[in-house]
Amino acid sequence: MNTDHILRSFDKDLNKNENLILEMGGLVEQQLIQATRALKKEDAKLSKKVLPNQSRIREMEAKLNASAIQLLALRQPVAADLRNVIMSLRIAGHLERIGKYTKNMARRTHTITKAEAFTGSISTLVRMSELVQEMIKSALDAYNNLDVETAEEIRSRDEDVDHMNNTLFRELLTYMMEDPKNIAGAMHLLFIAKNIERMGDHTTEIAQEVIYMVTGEWPAEKRPKGDKTSQIIFSPQDLDNKQSSPEES
Amino acid sequence: MTKSSVKKDKPAKKSKKNIILSAKNVDVFYGSKQAINNVSFEIPENRITALIGPSGCGKSTFLRCFNRMNDSIDNCKVTGDIRFAGQDIYDPAVDVVALRARIGMVFQKANPFPKSIFDNVAYGPRIHGLASSKEHLEEIVVSSLKRAGLFDEVADRLHEGGTGLSGGQQQRLCIARAIAVDPQVILMDEPCSSLDPIATAVIEDLMESMKENYTIVIVTHSMQQAARISQRTAFFHLGDLVEFGKTRDIFTNPKQTRTQNYISGRTG
C-alpha cells in the first residue's frame, strides 16, 4: 500500500503476514527446485532431502492462519486491508498444496530411481516443472509488488503447462502400450506430471487472488483450461497407425 | 442453478427503491466559509443511508439540510435543490413545522423533555393534532414506544419522568417521540456516540427493524456502525461528497483513494 496506517502497529501486523507468505513461498520454490533436480539426475538420495521441508511449510501455514484470524478479530480490516488478509489466507493454502505436490513428486522420484524403473520423458517433465517454478516466482513477485500485469501473464502461462501435460500423457501412454514393463515407471511419471500440472493450477489461482487483492475485482474472463488428458483415449489401432490423431479415432 | 438465480433476480428488480430524498448541486455556507461544495446524491426509500467522514467534513451540516435545521443558524445559507418525495423543501410555501414532522430527527445527546415518558411521546401528536381522542392518543404513544423497542421496559412507569431513564432508554424515547408524529424519514446525528456497546446494539437492531417503515439517514463517526447497519454509505471529506455507493462496495472495494484511506485508518 502506498500510505501507512495512522495506527502504526496495524502496518506491523500486515507486514508480518506478508513476510510469512513470502517466506513460505520461498521455501516451496526451493523445494520444487530440489525435487526437480532429483528427478533430472534420477538421484534417490537428493529426492529424500525434499521430504522434511513440507512439515515446515505446514507449520508456517498454521502460523499465518492464526495471525490472519487475530488480525481480523482485533483490527477489523476493511477494503484493501481486508482483501489483503483474506487473500493471504487463500494464498497460503495454495502454497501448502504446491508444497504437498512437490513432496509427492520427490517421493515418486525416489521410488522409481530406487527400483530402476522405466524413466522416459523425464526431460519434458523437467521442462514442465521449470515452467511452473518460474510461474511461482512470478506469482510471489506479483504478490510482493502488487503487480497486476505480471499476475495476468501467469494465467496465460498455465496454458503451456497444460499442453505439456497433454503431450506427456500421450507419450507415456504410448510407452506403456509398447512394453508392459514400462507401466510401473510410466504410471509414477504420469502422476508426477499430474502433480506438476496441479501446481500450475494453484499458482494460477494465486495470481488471480493477487489481482483481486489489488483491484477488488476478480479477473473477468475465465482462465483458459488446457488440460485435455481427461478426453484422451488410445486403442491398439493407434499403435499400428501412429500418424492418425488419437482424438479422431 | 441458472433457474434459481433468475428467480432471485426478479424480486430484487421489483424492490428497486424509490428515491425519497434528493440533493442536487447543494452548497452550504456559514458566512463566507463554504461548508458543503456542490453535493448531489439520492437517498432511497426504506433504506438506511450512512454519512461518514472526519470531524468537520460537513456530514452533520448536510444532514440538517434535509429538514431545514440550518434555517435557525443566522449566517447559514443553503443553495441548490433539495427534494423530499419530489417536492422542493426550500420552497417558501413549505410549512417547516409540518416538514419536520415528516422528516424527524434524533440527536447525538438524548434530549427528552423534562416531562413524563408519556408526555414526551404525546407531545408531537398533541401539537400536530394527530389524535382524535384520549384513547387514540394513548394508542399512538403505546405503539410508538413499542416501535422504539422501549415499551416493555417502561410500561409500568409511563407517567414518571423521561429524564430518569438510562442513556440508551432516553435515546429510544427520543426515537419514539420522533416516530409518534408518523414521519417518513428519520435523520439521526450520531445517535449512539454516548452509549455503551449493548445500548448501541439495541438501537442498531431497532434501526434495522424500523427501516421497513421508515427511511433512515444516519451520521456516524463509527465506520463499523455504518458498515453494520447501512445499505448505502456516503463519504464526506472537507465539504465534498467523495464517494457514495452500496455499503458493501464501499467497505470492500472503495473506488476513491480518499475513501480507502479514511475507512482503513490511513493518513492521506
Side-chain angles (χ1 to χ4, degrees), chain A residues 84-140:
Chain A
N84 183 337
V85 177
I86 299 291
M87 290 309 112
S88 75
L89 278 170
R90 294 179 57 147
I91 291 170
H94 291 303
L95 288 174
E96 191 276 333
R97 283 287 88 194
I98 296 173
K100 175 88 185 167
Y101 287 129
T102 310
K103 184 182 172 181
N104 207 327
M105 176 177 161
R107 250 203 200 130
R108 289 183 190 278
T109 303
H110 187 256
T111 307
I112 48 176
T113 44
K114 259 265 152 100
E116 288 177 14
F118 167 79
T119 51
S121 302
I122 280 194
S123 62
T124 318
L125 271 174
V126 168
R127 257 192 298 138
M128 194 173 158
S129 167
E130 279 165 356
L131 209 65
V132 171
Q133 281 165 34
E134 268 170 31
M135 282 168 69
I136 296 174
K137 190 180 174 305
S138 297
L140 291 170

Short mmCIF file of all heavy atoms in Angstrom, two decimals, chain A residues 84-140:
data_model
loop_
_atom_site.label_atom_id
_atom_site.label_comp_id
_atom_site.label_asym_id
_atom_site.label_seq_id
_atom_site.Cartn_x
_atom_site.Cartn_y
_atom_site.Cartn_z
N ASN A 84 -6.48 -8.01 1.47
CA ASN A 84 -5.12 -8.48 1.72
C ASN A 84 -5.12 -9.67 2.69
O ASN A 84 -4.53 -10.71 2.41
CB ASN A 84 -4.32 -7.30 2.28
CG ASN A 84 -2.87 -7.63 2.51
OD1 ASN A 84 -2.51 -8.79 2.66
ND2 ASN A 84 -2.02 -6.62 2.53
N VAL A 85 -5.83 -9.53 3.80
CA VAL A 85 -5.81 -10.58 4.82
C VAL A 85 -6.49 -11.84 4.31
O VAL A 85 -5.95 -12.95 4.44
CB VAL A 85 -6.50 -10.10 6.12
CG1 VAL A 85 -6.53 -11.22 7.15
CG2 VAL A 85 -5.77 -8.89 6.69
N ILE A 86 -7.65 -11.68 3.70
CA ILE A 86 -8.39 -12.86 3.22
C ILE A 86 -7.59 -13.56 2.12
O ILE A 86 -7.48 -14.79 2.10
CB ILE A 86 -9.79 -12.46 2.69
CG1 ILE A 86 -10.62 -11.82 3.80
CG2 ILE A 86 -10.52 -13.67 2.10
CD1 ILE A 86 -11.05 -12.75 4.89
N MET A 87 -7.01 -12.80 1.22
CA MET A 87 -6.25 -13.43 0.13
C MET A 87 -4.98 -14.09 0.67
O MET A 87 -4.56 -15.12 0.16
CB MET A 87 -5.91 -12.41 -0.97
CG MET A 87 -7.09 -11.95 -1.78
SD MET A 87 -8.09 -13.31 -2.44
CE MET A 87 -9.59 -13.12 -1.50
N SER A 88 -4.38 -13.52 1.72
CA SER A 88 -3.19 -14.16 2.28
C SER A 88 -3.53 -15.55 2.80
O SER A 88 -2.76 -16.49 2.64
CB SER A 88 -2.56 -13.29 3.38
OG SER A 88 -3.32 -13.36 4.56
N LEU A 89 -4.73 -15.68 3.37
CA LEU A 89 -5.16 -16.99 3.85
C LEU A 89 -5.26 -17.98 2.69
O LEU A 89 -4.82 -19.12 2.79
CB LEU A 89 -6.55 -16.87 4.49
CG LEU A 89 -6.62 -16.40 5.94
CD1 LEU A 89 -8.06 -16.11 6.33
CD2 LEU A 89 -6.05 -17.47 6.85
N ARG A 90 -5.85 -17.51 1.60
CA ARG A 90 -6.03 -18.41 0.46
C ARG A 90 -4.70 -18.73 -0.20
O ARG A 90 -4.45 -19.88 -0.58
CB ARG A 90 -6.99 -17.78 -0.55
CG ARG A 90 -8.39 -17.65 0.03
CD ARG A 90 -9.35 -17.00 -0.92
NE ARG A 90 -9.44 -17.71 -2.19
CZ ARG A 90 -10.54 -17.79 -2.92
NH1 ARG A 90 -11.64 -17.23 -2.49
NH2 ARG A 90 -10.55 -18.42 -4.06
N ILE A 91 -3.87 -17.73 -0.34
CA ILE A 91 -2.57 -17.94 -0.99
C ILE A 91 -1.75 -18.95 -0.20
O ILE A 91 -1.12 -19.85 -0.75
CB ILE A 91 -1.83 -16.60 -1.18
CG1 ILE A 91 -2.57 -15.76 -2.23
CG2 ILE A 91 -0.37 -16.83 -1.60
CD1 ILE A 91 -2.09 -14.33 -2.35
N ALA A 92 -1.79 -18.81 1.13
CA ALA A 92 -1.04 -19.74 1.97
C ALA A 92 -1.55 -21.16 1.75
O ALA A 92 -0.77 -22.12 1.70
CB ALA A 92 -1.18 -19.35 3.44
N GLY A 93 -2.86 -21.31 1.59
CA GLY A 93 -3.44 -22.63 1.31
C GLY A 93 -2.90 -23.21 0.01
O GLY A 93 -2.52 -24.38 -0.04
N HIS A 94 -2.84 -22.36 -1.02
CA HIS A 94 -2.32 -22.84 -2.30
C HIS A 94 -0.85 -23.22 -2.19
O HIS A 94 -0.43 -24.23 -2.75
CB HIS A 94 -2.48 -21.76 -3.38
CG HIS A 94 -3.91 -21.52 -3.76
ND1 HIS A 94 -4.72 -22.52 -4.22
CD2 HIS A 94 -4.68 -20.41 -3.72
CE1 HIS A 94 -5.93 -22.03 -4.47
NE2 HIS A 94 -5.93 -20.75 -4.17
N LEU A 95 -0.08 -22.41 -1.49
CA LEU A 95 1.35 -22.71 -1.34
C LEU A 95 1.54 -24.04 -0.62
O LEU A 95 2.39 -24.85 -1.00
CB LEU A 95 2.06 -21.58 -0.57
CG LEU A 95 2.25 -20.28 -1.35
CD1 LEU A 95 2.83 -19.20 -0.44
CD2 LEU A 95 3.14 -20.49 -2.57
N GLU A 96 0.72 -24.27 0.38
CA GLU A 96 0.83 -25.54 1.10
C GLU A 96 0.56 -26.70 0.17
O GLU A 96 1.25 -27.72 0.19
CB GLU A 96 -0.14 -25.53 2.29
CG GLU A 96 0.06 -26.67 3.27
CD GLU A 96 -0.65 -27.95 2.85
OE1 GLU A 96 -1.68 -27.87 2.13
OE2 GLU A 96 -0.17 -29.04 3.22
N ARG A 97 -0.47 -26.54 -0.69
CA ARG A 97 -0.80 -27.60 -1.66
C ARG A 97 0.36 -27.84 -2.62
O ARG A 97 0.73 -28.97 -2.92
CB ARG A 97 -2.05 -27.21 -2.47
CG ARG A 97 -3.37 -27.36 -1.74
CD ARG A 97 -3.79 -28.79 -1.56
NE ARG A 97 -3.23 -29.35 -0.33
CZ ARG A 97 -3.20 -30.64 -0.05
NH1 ARG A 97 -3.69 -31.51 -0.90
NH2 ARG A 97 -2.69 -31.07 1.07
N ILE A 98 0.94 -26.75 -3.12
CA ILE A 98 2.07 -26.89 -4.05
C ILE A 98 3.20 -27.65 -3.36
O ILE A 98 3.82 -28.55 -3.94
CB ILE A 98 2.55 -25.50 -4.54
CG1 ILE A 98 1.44 -24.83 -5.36
CG2 ILE A 98 3.82 -25.64 -5.39
CD1 ILE A 98 1.74 -23.39 -5.75
N GLY A 99 3.43 -27.30 -2.10
CA GLY A 99 4.46 -28.00 -1.32
C GLY A 99 4.16 -29.49 -1.24
O GLY A 99 5.03 -30.34 -1.41
N LYS A 100 2.89 -29.77 -1.01
CA LYS A 100 2.48 -31.16 -0.88
C LYS A 100 2.70 -31.93 -2.19
O LYS A 100 3.18 -33.07 -2.19
CB LYS A 100 0.99 -31.19 -0.49
CG LYS A 100 0.36 -32.54 -0.42
CD LYS A 100 0.54 -33.15 0.95
CE LYS A 100 0.00 -34.59 0.92
NZ LYS A 100 0.38 -35.36 2.07
N TYR A 101 2.37 -31.32 -3.31
CA TYR A 101 2.59 -31.96 -4.61
C TYR A 101 4.08 -32.18 -4.86
O TYR A 101 4.49 -33.18 -5.46
CB TYR A 101 1.98 -31.13 -5.74
CG TYR A 101 0.48 -31.17 -5.77
CD1 TYR A 101 -0.28 -30.01 -5.81
CD2 TYR A 101 -0.19 -32.39 -5.75
CE1 TYR A 101 -1.67 -30.05 -5.84
CE2 TYR A 101 -1.58 -32.45 -5.77
CZ TYR A 101 -2.31 -31.28 -5.82
OH TYR A 101 -3.67 -31.32 -5.83
N THR A 102 4.88 -31.21 -4.42
CA THR A 102 6.33 -31.33 -4.60
C THR A 102 6.86 -32.53 -3.81
O THR A 102 7.68 -33.31 -4.29
CB THR A 102 7.02 -30.05 -4.11
OG1 THR A 102 6.39 -28.94 -4.70
CG2 THR A 102 8.48 -30.05 -4.48
N LYS A 103 6.34 -32.65 -2.60
CA LYS A 103 6.75 -33.77 -1.76
C LYS A 103 6.40 -35.09 -2.44
O LYS A 103 7.19 -36.03 -2.49
CB LYS A 103 6.05 -33.66 -0.40
CG LYS A 103 6.48 -34.71 0.60
CD LYS A 103 5.72 -34.58 1.90
CE LYS A 103 6.02 -35.74 2.82
NZ LYS A 103 5.28 -35.67 4.07
N ASN A 104 5.20 -35.13 -2.99
CA ASN A 104 4.72 -36.31 -3.68
C ASN A 104 5.62 -36.65 -4.87
O ASN A 104 5.97 -37.81 -5.10
CB ASN A 104 3.29 -36.01 -4.17
CG ASN A 104 2.47 -37.27 -4.29
OD1 ASN A 104 3.01 -38.33 -4.61
ND2 ASN A 104 1.18 -37.16 -4.03
N MET A 105 5.99 -35.61 -5.58
CA MET A 105 6.87 -35.76 -6.74
C MET A 105 8.21 -36.36 -6.31
O MET A 105 8.73 -37.29 -6.94
CB MET A 105 7.06 -34.36 -7.33
CG MET A 105 7.99 -34.25 -8.49
SD MET A 105 7.95 -32.50 -9.03
CE MET A 105 9.46 -32.45 -9.95
N ALA A 106 8.75 -35.85 -5.20
CA ALA A 106 10.03 -36.34 -4.70
C ALA A 106 9.91 -37.80 -4.28
O ALA A 106 10.82 -38.61 -4.53
CB ALA A 106 10.48 -35.48 -3.52
N ARG A 107 8.80 -38.12 -3.66
CA ARG A 107 8.58 -39.49 -3.21
C ARG A 107 8.58 -40.48 -4.39
O ARG A 107 9.20 -41.54 -4.34
CB ARG A 107 7.21 -39.56 -2.54
CG ARG A 107 7.32 -39.77 -1.07
CD ARG A 107 6.03 -40.37 -0.58
NE ARG A 107 5.98 -40.13 0.85
CZ ARG A 107 4.95 -39.61 1.46
NH1 ARG A 107 3.87 -39.28 0.80
NH2 ARG A 107 5.00 -39.42 2.77
N ARG A 108 7.85 -40.09 -5.42
CA ARG A 108 7.75 -40.96 -6.60
C ARG A 108 9.12 -41.07 -7.31
O ARG A 108 9.49 -42.13 -7.79
CB ARG A 108 6.69 -40.45 -7.56
CG ARG A 108 5.29 -40.64 -7.01
CD ARG A 108 4.23 -40.19 -8.00
NE ARG A 108 2.92 -40.17 -7.36
CZ ARG A 108 2.16 -41.25 -7.21
NH1 ARG A 108 2.58 -42.43 -7.63
NH2 ARG A 108 0.98 -41.15 -6.62
N THR A 109 9.83 -39.94 -7.33
CA THR A 109 11.17 -39.96 -7.91
C THR A 109 12.04 -40.97 -7.16
O THR A 109 12.77 -41.78 -7.76
CB THR A 109 11.82 -38.57 -7.81
OG1 THR A 109 10.98 -37.63 -8.45
CG2 THR A 109 13.19 -38.54 -8.45
N HIS A 110 11.91 -40.93 -5.85
CA HIS A 110 12.67 -41.85 -5.01
C HIS A 110 12.32 -43.30 -5.36
O HIS A 110 13.20 -44.15 -5.56
CB HIS A 110 12.37 -41.56 -3.53
CG HIS A 110 13.23 -42.35 -2.60
ND1 HIS A 110 12.75 -43.45 -1.92
CD2 HIS A 110 14.52 -42.22 -2.24
CE1 HIS A 110 13.72 -43.96 -1.18
NE2 HIS A 110 14.82 -43.21 -1.36
N THR A 111 11.03 -43.57 -5.47
CA THR A 111 10.57 -44.93 -5.75
C THR A 111 11.11 -45.45 -7.09
O THR A 111 11.67 -46.54 -7.17
CB THR A 111 9.03 -44.97 -5.79
OG1 THR A 111 8.54 -44.38 -4.59
CG2 THR A 111 8.51 -46.40 -5.91
N ILE A 112 10.94 -44.64 -8.15
CA ILE A 112 11.34 -45.15 -9.47
C ILE A 112 12.86 -45.24 -9.62
O ILE A 112 13.36 -46.15 -10.25
CB ILE A 112 10.73 -44.36 -10.66
CG1 ILE A 112 10.88 -42.87 -10.47
CG2 ILE A 112 9.27 -44.72 -10.85
CD1 ILE A 112 10.37 -42.06 -11.65
N THR A 113 13.59 -44.29 -9.03
CA THR A 113 15.04 -44.37 -9.19
C THR A 113 15.61 -45.53 -8.36
O THR A 113 16.51 -46.23 -8.81
CB THR A 113 15.73 -43.06 -8.78
OG1 THR A 113 15.16 -42.60 -7.56
CG2 THR A 113 15.58 -42.01 -9.84
N LYS A 114 15.05 -45.72 -7.18
CA LYS A 114 15.50 -46.83 -6.33
C LYS A 114 15.27 -48.17 -7.05
O LYS A 114 16.11 -49.06 -7.03
CB LYS A 114 14.69 -46.82 -5.01
CG LYS A 114 15.47 -46.21 -3.85
CD LYS A 114 16.14 -47.31 -3.08
CE LYS A 114 17.40 -46.90 -2.37
NZ LYS A 114 17.21 -46.65 -0.94
N ALA A 115 14.07 -48.29 -7.68
CA ALA A 115 13.68 -49.54 -8.31
C ALA A 115 14.27 -49.68 -9.72
O ALA A 115 14.04 -50.67 -10.40
CB ALA A 115 12.16 -49.64 -8.35
N GLU A 116 14.94 -48.61 -10.15
CA GLU A 116 15.48 -48.56 -11.51
C GLU A 116 14.41 -48.89 -12.54
O GLU A 116 14.61 -49.66 -13.47
CB GLU A 116 16.69 -49.48 -11.65
CG GLU A 116 17.89 -48.90 -10.92
CD GLU A 116 19.12 -49.82 -10.96
OE1 GLU A 116 19.12 -50.76 -11.77
OE2 GLU A 116 20.04 -49.56 -10.18
N ALA A 117 13.27 -48.29 -12.32
CA ALA A 117 12.14 -48.50 -13.22
C ALA A 117 12.32 -47.65 -14.47
O ALA A 117 13.26 -46.85 -14.56
CB ALA A 117 10.84 -48.13 -12.51
N PHE A 118 11.35 -47.79 -15.38
CA PHE A 118 11.36 -47.03 -16.62
C PHE A 118 11.33 -45.52 -16.35
O PHE A 118 10.56 -45.05 -15.53
CB PHE A 118 10.15 -47.43 -17.46
CG PHE A 118 9.88 -46.51 -18.61
CD1 PHE A 118 10.62 -46.60 -19.77
CD2 PHE A 118 8.90 -45.53 -18.49
CE1 PHE A 118 10.36 -45.73 -20.82
CE2 PHE A 118 8.65 -44.66 -19.54
CZ PHE A 118 9.38 -44.77 -20.70
N THR A 119 12.21 -44.77 -16.99
CA THR A 119 12.21 -43.33 -16.78
C THR A 119 12.32 -42.58 -18.11
O THR A 119 13.28 -41.87 -18.34
CB THR A 119 13.38 -42.89 -15.87
OG1 THR A 119 14.58 -43.46 -16.40
CG2 THR A 119 13.19 -43.30 -14.45
N GLY A 120 11.30 -42.72 -18.94
CA GLY A 120 11.27 -41.96 -20.17
C GLY A 120 10.62 -40.60 -19.92
O GLY A 120 10.08 -40.34 -18.84
N SER A 121 10.71 -39.73 -20.90
CA SER A 121 10.02 -38.43 -20.86
C SER A 121 10.46 -37.51 -19.75
O SER A 121 9.80 -36.52 -19.45
CB SER A 121 8.50 -38.60 -20.74
OG SER A 121 8.01 -39.36 -21.79
N ILE A 122 11.57 -37.84 -19.07
CA ILE A 122 11.96 -37.01 -17.93
C ILE A 122 12.30 -35.59 -18.34
O ILE A 122 11.97 -34.64 -17.64
CB ILE A 122 13.11 -37.68 -17.15
CG1 ILE A 122 12.48 -38.75 -16.25
CG2 ILE A 122 13.87 -36.66 -16.31
CD1 ILE A 122 13.37 -39.29 -15.19
N SER A 123 12.91 -35.45 -19.51
CA SER A 123 13.30 -34.09 -19.91
C SER A 123 12.06 -33.21 -20.09
O SER A 123 12.06 -32.03 -19.74
CB SER A 123 14.14 -34.13 -21.18
OG SER A 123 13.37 -34.67 -22.22
N THR A 124 10.96 -33.77 -20.60
CA THR A 124 9.73 -32.99 -20.73
C THR A 124 9.20 -32.62 -19.35
O THR A 124 8.76 -31.49 -19.11
CB THR A 124 8.65 -33.79 -21.49
OG1 THR A 124 9.25 -34.46 -22.58
CG2 THR A 124 7.54 -32.89 -21.96
N LEU A 125 9.24 -33.60 -18.44
CA LEU A 125 8.78 -33.34 -17.07
C LEU A 125 9.59 -32.21 -16.44
O LEU A 125 9.03 -31.33 -15.78
CB LEU A 125 8.95 -34.61 -16.22
CG LEU A 125 7.78 -35.59 -16.21
CD1 LEU A 125 8.16 -36.84 -15.45
CD2 LEU A 125 6.54 -34.96 -15.59
N VAL A 126 10.89 -32.25 -16.65
CA VAL A 126 11.76 -31.24 -16.05
C VAL A 126 11.43 -29.86 -16.63
O VAL A 126 11.32 -28.88 -15.91
CB VAL A 126 13.25 -31.60 -16.26
CG1 VAL A 126 14.16 -30.43 -15.91
CG2 VAL A 126 13.62 -32.82 -15.42
N ARG A 127 11.22 -29.83 -17.94
CA ARG A 127 10.87 -28.55 -18.55
C ARG A 127 9.56 -28.01 -18.00
O ARG A 127 9.41 -26.82 -17.73
CB ARG A 127 10.76 -28.72 -20.08
CG ARG A 127 12.00 -28.17 -20.80
CD ARG A 127 11.76 -28.07 -22.28
NE ARG A 127 11.51 -29.41 -22.84
CZ ARG A 127 10.59 -29.67 -23.74
NH1 ARG A 127 9.81 -28.72 -24.19
NH2 ARG A 127 10.43 -30.90 -24.21
N MET A 128 8.63 -28.91 -17.84
CA MET A 128 7.33 -28.54 -17.31
C MET A 128 7.48 -27.97 -15.90
O MET A 128 6.91 -26.93 -15.55
CB MET A 128 6.45 -29.80 -17.29
CG MET A 128 4.99 -29.56 -17.08
SD MET A 128 4.15 -31.17 -17.31
CE MET A 128 2.65 -30.85 -16.43
N SER A 129 8.28 -28.65 -15.12
CA SER A 129 8.49 -28.20 -13.75
C SER A 129 9.19 -26.85 -13.71
O SER A 129 8.87 -25.99 -12.87
CB SER A 129 9.30 -29.25 -12.99
OG SER A 129 9.75 -28.70 -11.78
N GLU A 130 10.15 -26.65 -14.63
CA GLU A 130 10.86 -25.37 -14.65
C GLU A 130 9.91 -24.22 -15.00
O GLU A 130 10.01 -23.12 -14.46
CB GLU A 130 12.03 -25.43 -15.63
CG GLU A 130 13.22 -26.13 -15.00
CD GLU A 130 14.28 -26.56 -16.02
OE1 GLU A 130 14.06 -26.39 -17.24
OE2 GLU A 130 15.32 -27.09 -15.59
N LEU A 131 8.97 -24.55 -15.86
CA LEU A 131 7.97 -23.55 -16.23
C LEU A 131 7.14 -23.15 -15.00
O LEU A 131 6.88 -21.97 -14.74
CB LEU A 131 7.06 -24.15 -17.31
CG LEU A 131 6.43 -23.19 -18.29
CD1 LEU A 131 7.49 -22.53 -19.13
CD2 LEU A 131 5.45 -23.94 -19.19
N VAL A 132 6.75 -24.17 -14.24
CA VAL A 132 5.96 -23.90 -13.04
C VAL A 132 6.78 -23.14 -12.00
O VAL A 132 6.28 -22.24 -11.34
CB VAL A 132 5.39 -25.22 -12.45
CG1 VAL A 132 4.76 -24.99 -11.09
CG2 VAL A 132 4.35 -25.82 -13.40
N GLN A 133 8.07 -23.50 -11.91
CA GLN A 133 8.94 -22.76 -10.98
C GLN A 133 8.93 -21.28 -11.30
O GLN A 133 8.83 -20.43 -10.42
CB GLN A 133 10.38 -23.27 -11.08
CG GLN A 133 10.65 -24.56 -10.34
CD GLN A 133 11.98 -25.16 -10.78
OE1 GLN A 133 12.93 -24.45 -11.10
NE2 GLN A 133 12.05 -26.47 -10.79
N GLU A 134 9.03 -20.98 -12.58
CA GLU A 134 9.03 -19.56 -12.98
C GLU A 134 7.70 -18.90 -12.66
O GLU A 134 7.64 -17.75 -12.23
CB GLU A 134 9.34 -19.45 -14.47
CG GLU A 134 10.83 -19.27 -14.70
CD GLU A 134 11.18 -19.39 -16.16
OE1 GLU A 134 10.33 -19.03 -17.00
OE2 GLU A 134 12.29 -19.88 -16.45
N MET A 135 6.63 -19.67 -12.87
CA MET A 135 5.30 -19.12 -12.56
C MET A 135 5.19 -18.81 -11.07
O MET A 135 4.65 -17.77 -10.68
CB MET A 135 4.21 -20.13 -12.95
CG MET A 135 3.91 -20.16 -14.43
SD MET A 135 2.88 -21.59 -14.86
CE MET A 135 1.33 -21.14 -14.08
N ILE A 136 5.69 -19.71 -10.23
CA ILE A 136 5.61 -19.49 -8.78
C ILE A 136 6.40 -18.24 -8.40
O ILE A 136 5.94 -17.39 -7.64
CB ILE A 136 6.14 -20.71 -7.99
CG1 ILE A 136 5.26 -21.94 -8.26
CG2 ILE A 136 6.18 -20.43 -6.50
CD1 ILE A 136 5.79 -23.23 -7.65
N LYS A 137 7.59 -18.13 -9.00
CA LYS A 137 8.43 -16.97 -8.69
C LYS A 137 7.71 -15.68 -9.09
O LYS A 137 7.64 -14.71 -8.32
CB LYS A 137 9.76 -17.10 -9.43
CG LYS A 137 10.78 -16.09 -9.00
CD LYS A 137 12.08 -16.26 -9.75
CE LYS A 137 13.06 -15.15 -9.43
NZ LYS A 137 12.54 -13.81 -9.65
N SER A 138 7.14 -15.69 -10.29
CA SER A 138 6.41 -14.50 -10.76
C SER A 138 5.22 -14.20 -9.86
O SER A 138 4.92 -13.05 -9.57
CB SER A 138 5.90 -14.71 -12.18
OG SER A 138 6.97 -14.89 -13.05
N ALA A 139 4.52 -15.26 -9.43
CA ALA A 139 3.34 -15.06 -8.58
C ALA A 139 3.73 -14.40 -7.26
O ALA A 139 3.06 -13.50 -6.77
CB ALA A 139 2.63 -16.39 -8.33
N LEU A 140 4.85 -14.85 -6.70
CA LEU A 140 5.30 -14.27 -5.43
C LEU A 140 5.76 -12.82 -5.64
O LEU A 140 5.49 -11.95 -4.81
CB LEU A 140 6.43 -15.11 -4.83
CG LEU A 140 6.00 -16.50 -4.33
CD1 LEU A 140 7.22 -17.33 -3.98
CD2 LEU A 140 5.06 -16.40 -3.14
#
